[in-house]
């Protein structure tokens, strides 16, 4: 897994090189693209995944519905559809692009490509290697969990942006 090859991009998303997962996650500041999908149900609840307790980064914290890296040679749309299928088994969805932004942490620097969709499914078949649990949360539940170490810091930041982009009260 550490030998996976990721594209290295500039802040506009243009590929300028490639590096391994290990190199990208070493604190090197190599900017690499990721995809996030926020899955809402018709009631306005947001599906969150609980990251596996075996994950190196943010284990056992609740996070974006789907999130994953773009492989070298893959388009953003291909990566999004692959990650959604792999992580929650959803194949029939229409992604709507929200925004892109750079997320920096001590471990990595990511160009996040954020999308949302609405699904009438009540549950998903999540990958037990990647995800320990998953469920729909109300906006109030998310708001109450923020800042308490329950959610990943990047999800908390992105949640505010998603709500603003959709003109919803965060």
């Amino acid at each position: 897994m550490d030998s996976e090859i990721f594209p290295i991009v500039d802040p506009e998303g243009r590929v300028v090189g490639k590096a391994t997962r290990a190199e990208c996650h070493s604190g090197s500041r190599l900017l690499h693209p990721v995809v996030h999908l926020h899955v809402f149900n018709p009631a306005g609840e947001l599906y969150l995944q609980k990251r596996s307790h075996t994950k190196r980064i943010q284990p056992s914290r609740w996070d974006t519905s789907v999130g994953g890296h773009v492989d070298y040679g893959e388009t953003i749309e291909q990566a999004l559809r692959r990650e959604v299928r792999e992580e929650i088994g959803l194949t029939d969805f229409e992604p709507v692009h929200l925004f892109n932004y750079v997320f920096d942490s001590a471990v990595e620097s990511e160009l996040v490509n954020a999308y949302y969709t609405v699904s009438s499914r009540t549950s998903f078949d999540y990958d037990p290697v990647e995800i320990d649990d998953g469920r729909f949360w109300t906006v109030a539940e998310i708001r109450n969990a923020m800042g308490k170490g329950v959610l990943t810091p990047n999800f908390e930041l992105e949640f505010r942006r998603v709500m603003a982009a959709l003109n919803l009260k965060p």
Side-chain angles (χ1 to χ4, degrees), residues 122-137:
T122 56
S123 65
F124 298 98
D125 299 320
Y126 58 82
D127 178 353
V129 173
E130 297 272 333
I131 301 169
D132 281 347
D133 197 2
R135 69 173 179 89
F136 282 97
W137 292 55

Side-chain angles (χ1 to χ4, degrees), residues 28 132 152:
S28 64
D132 281 347
T152 65

Side-chain angles (χ1 to χ4, degrees), residues 35-37 39 47 49 65-69 71 74-95 117 121 123-131:
V35 291
H36 288 178
L37 180 70
V39 180
Y47 185 83
Q49 63 163 275
S65 308
V66 174
H69 290 88
D71 292 335
E74 196 173 39
T75 67
I76 298 300
E77 170 110 1
Q78 289 168 333
L80 180 67
R81 292 201 175 272
R82 175 183 51 78
E83 286 290 343
V84 173
R85 183 183 67 253
E86 288 175 1
E87 288 192 6
I88 63 172
L90 182 62
T91 56
D92 184 24
F93 69 99
E94 287 303 317
T117 196
R121 287 182 54 179
S123 65
F124 298 98
D125 299 320
Y126 58 82
D127 178 353
V129 173
E130 297 272 333
I131 301 169

Side-chain angles (χ1 to χ4, degrees), residues 16 21 26 29 44 46 50 59 83 86 92 108 127-128 135 141 144 155 157-158 168:
V16 297
R21 173 188 287 267
S26 67
R29 318 308 308 149
L46 180 58
K50 186 175 186 183
E83 286 290 343
E86 288 175 1
D92 184 24
E108 63 184 333
D127 178 353
R135 69 173 179 89
E141 286 177 308
N144 289 337
F155 170 74
L157 169 75
E158 192 167 312
L168 300 171

Side-chain angles (χ1 to χ4, degrees), residues 5-6 11-12 15 29 67 72 79 109 135 138 141 170:
I5 304 295
F6 296 155
E12 286 74 46
V15 177
R29 318 308 308 149
Y72 188 75
S109 186
R135 69 173 179 89
T138 67
E141 286 177 308

Side-chain angles (χ1 to χ4, degrees), residues 3-19:
S3 61
E4 286 177 281
I5 304 295
F6 296 155
I8 303 305
V9 297
D10 67 15
E12 286 74 46
R14 292 183 293 257
V15 177
V16 297
K18 59 184 175 179

